[in-house]
Amino acid sequence: MIRGKVVGRYWATKRIEHIPSGAFLEVESAGGARMVAFDVLGCGEGEDVLIVTGSTAASWLGGGKIPIDALIIGSLDETGKSKSK
Amino acid sequence: MIRGKVVGRYWATKRIEHIPSGAFLEVESAGGARMVAFDVLGCGEGEDVLIVTGSTAASWLGGGKIPIDALIIGSLDETGKSKSK
Amino acid sequence: MIRGKVVGRYWATKRIEHIPSGAFLEVESAGGARMVAFDVLGCGEGEDVLIVTGSTAASWLGGGKIPIDALIIGSLDETGKSKSK
Amino acid sequence: MIRGKVVGRYWATKRIEHIPSGAFLEVESAGGARMVAFDVLGCGEGEDVLIVTGSTAASWLGGGKIPIDALIIGSLDETGKSKSK
Amino acid sequence: MIRGKVVGRYWATKRIEHIPSGAFLEVESAGGARMVAFDVLGCGEGEDVLIVTGSTAASWLGGGKIPIDALIIGSLDETGKSKSK
């Protein structure tokens, strides 16, 4: 999984079908790369989250025609020992 | 998902079978990397789009022998808070 | 597979469903990149481990709605000839 | 998908089973990274091609035990507006 | 597929179930990145090999719970025209 911090939120009125209800959040990973992850937990800006990517993300949402390949699976508690600087 | 800007369009007369109808658009991601994504929404140059990659893209188009691994799923509204510079 | 060293441990009280029991360990790969892998072997900090990623990780845990895409599959014995510096 | 230029060809006499008939072509992507893609279109050196990667490539070739994860799906016509420099 | 040179071998006595018999070889790709690939061909150090990654690797080995996502599919003959420097 990828660990990162929520840094923004997007809306896409013009979209394809089969996108479930939830939010598109921009997340910056420890290494600085940015991605957009789907969120069903109600995470907010600045939150440290854990993201699963690939078809595994779509499978959790029901698989088939769900066009999502990055899903926030949890918000990290503040207890990791040697977090990335 | 990957966020990026449409920067070009490609045609491939010489191609394999089972490619559905749609456009091949070149997209430059926030980090500068370029990829080609399949488009069924009619997006144009300069548009900010969201892309799903991997087998999830092919599954939305019907799966099986569909040889597409990157699909534009939406065009972003201008409301993201801290977009990538 | 990816080879790396365990450098931390995370907990996520706020999480989605279908996460099996096991630990979220942060692993630093030979190239310096960090990721979080799921662990069912009881690995500890400083241990050299081997990680499988993608839907293959979820399939080992039972597939379907399991939202895990990185799994520690083994702890490496000290016998690799030319390990990464 | 990945766009790149064919720069070489490989043969592998010592190989595993279930590799279909076709060519292994080395392709250099716009960003300079090199990969080997399977070709059933008869592409040649210097040709600009489009590559699909992952299980989607294997599915087009019939799926199951086909050990191919990168497939050339088309040869690009010379009409892209702002191609990568 | 990824092309690379075998640079080491690993053993993992402490491991999860469903790992088939074969060797874990460290491979350095043309770009310098290192990965560990599963080998059933008996490749040795210094050999130039071709690697398939992702669920495609597990499918060749039988799919289901096989926790392997990188498999050596061939050893390259010395005939590539413009190999990576």
Side-chain angles (χ1 to χ4, degrees), chain E residues 32-75:
Chain E
R34 291 201 173 193
M35 64 187 299
V36 175
F38 198 68
D39 176 43
V40 297
L41 284 169
C43 296
E45 216 160 312
E47 217 164 323
D48 254 333
V49 294
L50 206 54
I51 298 167
V52 76
T53 59
S55 59
T56 303
S59 299
W60 189 89
L61 290 160
K65 288 193 166 239
I66 303 273
I68 298 292
D69 68 0
L71 174 70
I72 292 175
I73 67 167
S75 178

Side-chain angles (χ1 to χ4, degrees), chain D residues 7 10-11 13-14 36 69, chain E residues 1 47 53 77 79-80 82-83:
Chain D
V7 295
Y10 285 105
W11 286 263
T13 318
K14 180 177 163 184
V36 175
D69 68 359
Chain E
M1 285 63 72
E47 217 164 323
T53 59
D77 308 349
T79 52
S82 51
K83 267 166 259 166

Side-chain angles (χ1 to χ4, degrees), chain B residues 11-25:
Chain B
W11 286 264
T13 317
K14 179 177 162 185
R15 56 170 60 190
I16 60 173
E17 290 180 300
H18 307 301
I19 296 177
S21 65
F24 286 121
L25 301 185

Side-chain angles (χ1 to χ4, degrees), chain C residues 33-70:
Chain C
R34 291 201 173 193
M35 64 186 298
V36 175
F38 198 69
D39 175 44
V40 297
L41 284 168
C43 296
E45 216 160 312
E47 216 164 324
D48 254 333
V49 294
L50 206 54
I51 297 166
V52 76
T53 60
S55 59
T56 303
S59 300
W60 189 88
L61 290 160
K65 288 192 165 237
I66 303 274
I68 297 292
D69 68 0

Side-chain angles (χ1 to χ4, degrees), chain E residues 2 7-8 11 14 18 20 24-25 31 38 42 65 70 85:
Chain E
I2 295 168
V7 294
W11 285 264
K14 179 179 163 183
H18 306 303
F24 287 122
L25 300 185
F38 198 68
K65 288 193 166 239
K85 284 173 209 54

Side-chain angles (χ1 to χ4, degrees), chain B residues 12-55:
Chain B
T13 317
K14 179 177 162 185
R15 56 170 60 190
I16 60 173
E17 290 180 300
H18 307 301
I19 296 177
S21 65
F24 286 121
L25 301 185
E26 184 151 50
V27 177
E28 187 168 295
S29 72
R34 292 201 172 193
M35 65 187 297
V36 175
F38 198 69
D39 177 44
V40 296
L41 284 169
C43 296
E45 217 160 313
E47 218 164 321
D48 254 333
V49 295
L50 207 53
I51 297 167
V52 76
T53 60
S55 59

